[in-house]
Amino acid sequence: MTENLRPSGAHSTDQDPTSYPYASSYGTAYDSAPGGYPPPPAYAPTTGRRKAKRPVALLAAVAIAAGVIGGGTATLVGQFNGQDSAATGSGGAVNGTTVSQSSKGTVAGVAEAVSPAIVEIGAASSAGKSTGSGVVITEDGEIVTNNHVISGAQQIQVTLSTGKTYTADVVGTDPGKDLALIKLRNASGLKTATLGDSSKVKVGEQVVAIGSPEGLTGTVTSGIVSALDRDVTVAKDDSGSGSGQGQGQGGGGQQWPFEFGGQQFNGDTGEETTTYKALQTDASLNPGNSGGALINMDGEIIGINSAMYAPSSSAAGSGSSAGSVGLGFAIPVNTLKADLDTLRAGNGS
């Protein structure tokens, strides 16, 4: 029992440690307790202990709340960082495209994916030699190009991106659409291009052009689609160019002539012409790009490059034609897809 250090009688409340005479009258015996005091309870929680429990409960609640908020924050961070596993796969190609997930939306990614399907076409005729481009659409060597690239050719040689060369034969031409289909001899297992949907193309959309300007195989340029449905008029055959060169390199001939907006560019188109709706692009096109690919950022072919404006030598103030000034045209790929059966049958307009 703790010793009471206060002097006896110091306070009026001090009690004498004697038995209470009235204790037994209430039927409760305190006589057995020392000093007559009632025994303390077996468990006597103090006020201090009860207060101590409240912060513990509060901290537990805060911890639970923090856990919930933290989980939500992690989810948001994952979404902003593109870590939603349901939206993307683990590597590999993007669904429905030929561009890898890591390179999606980049010029480098498009070039890496599509360049193996773009070829250089060398056409030799009595008028000389010219260079153009083409797009491989089947593993056994079907290649789409412009009609003016191979028109009048007596021999066609195709060079792949690997440097391997093939001899090609003309399958079908359609001068009315400036399209042609050629086929490599004894080819197999070639890398093919994916044909897209030109009806979904929008002005301002970024594009990539791949071809062989001036005989520089596999040259890549980029830009945007600057207009849709431009009426472009071109010669139906090589007679309009005056030299049989088409929009190619070599022989000193003019660039492939065309009409646009009531004006003629790159020479006289001649008497027999055809007009088609074209995609306009500011991606750099130069002689030799004809027949090559205009590609969207998913690696899909959306057009076949067919005409470009180059200032004449007199306007450029030099002895040779100037390069691209950002005014190029491509035949929409949907025009090509609608014409493939006709080309494969060897017919044309």
Side-chain angles (χ1 to χ4, degrees):
M1 184 173 180
T2 303
E3 181 180 1
N4 190 344
L5 300 181
R6 288 176 300 178
S8 177
H11 298 284
S12 58
T13 54
D14 285 345
Q15 298 177 356
D16 182 48
T18 57
S19 301
Y20 292 99
Y22 55 82
S24 58
S25 63
Y26 285 89
T28 304
Y30 295 116
D31 295 336
S32 61
Y37 289 108
Y43 299 96
T46 65
T47 304
R49 288 183 182 177
R50 285 196 295 269
K51 289 182 179 179
K53 286 187 176 182
R54 291 177 185 174
V56 173
L58 181 59
L59 289 175
V62 171
I64 294 172
V68 173
I69 294 173
T73 303
T75 302
L76 290 175
V77 171
Q79 290 174 348
F80 279 114
N81 288 336
Q83 296 173 353
D84 186 355
S85 59
T88 59
S90 55
V94 180
N95 290 337
T97 73
T98 60
V99 180
S100 67
Q101 179 70 57
S102 60
S103 300
K104 186 179 186 297
T106 67
V107 174
V110 171
E112 180 181 9
V114 185
S115 288
I118 311 302
V119 301
E120 178 183 308
I121 299 175
S125 68
S126 58
K129 295 181 179 179
S130 65
T131 301
S133 305
V135 181
V136 180
I137 60 172
T138 64
E139 293 183 355
D140 61 351
E142 281 189 347
I143 295 173
V144 174
T145 187
N146 289 137
N147 177 66
H148 73 257
V149 170
I150 54 87
S151 181
Q154 298 169 339
Q155 184 179 14
I156 301 174
Q157 191 169 44
V158 174
T159 303
L160 304 184
S161 62
T162 60
K164 187 174 183 178
T165 61
Y166 289 88
T167 298
D169 300 308
V170 176
V171 175
T173 63
D174 192 342
K177 296 182 177 66
D178 195 18
L179 292 171
L181 184 68
I182 63 176
K183 178 84 180 310
L184 304 184
R185 297 177 184 175
N186 304 317
S188 62
L190 301 184
K191 173 72 175 181
T192 63
T194 300
L195 303 183
D197 183 356
S198 53
S199 69
K200 296 181 179 179
V201 176
K202 298 179 180 179
V203 172
E205 180 177 332
Q206 189 175 9
V207 290
V208 174
I210 305 179
S212 299
E214 305 295 346
L216 301 175
T217 305
T219 295
V220 177
T221 59
S222 65
I224 63 168
V225 174
S226 49
L228 303 175
D229 299 326
R230 293 298 200 195
D231 287 325
V232 175
T233 300
V234 299
K236 270 199 170 186
D237 54 36
D238 62 4
S239 61
S241 66
S243 66
Q245 298 310 305
Q247 188 170 312
Q249 175 209 5
Q254 298 177 12
Q255 311 311 320
W256 181 242
F258 69 96
E259 297 178 9
F260 167 69
Q263 298 181 2
Q264 290 187 342
F265 300 93
N266 307 339
D268 185 5
T269 56
E271 296 180 356
E272 194 172 5
T273 62
T274 184
T275 301
Y276 56 82
K277 299 287 187 181
L279 302 175
Q280 181 180 313
T281 178
D282 70 350
S284 179
L285 302 180
N286 289 287
N289 270 115
S290 283
L294 189 67
I295 312 156
N296 66 19
M297 301 311 290
D298 285 331
E300 301 169 333
I301 311 299
I302 58 171
I304 302 298
N305 298 321
S306 58
M308 47 80 62
Y309 166 65
S312 64
S313 58
S314 59
S318 63
S320 61
S321 296
S324 171
V325 293
L327 185 61
F329 301 94
I331 301 168
V333 74
N334 286 6
T335 300
L336 165 63
K337 292 194 292 186
D339 205 34
L340 269 178
D341 289 341
T342 299
L343 294 172
R344 284 171 172 153
N347 302 320
S349 57

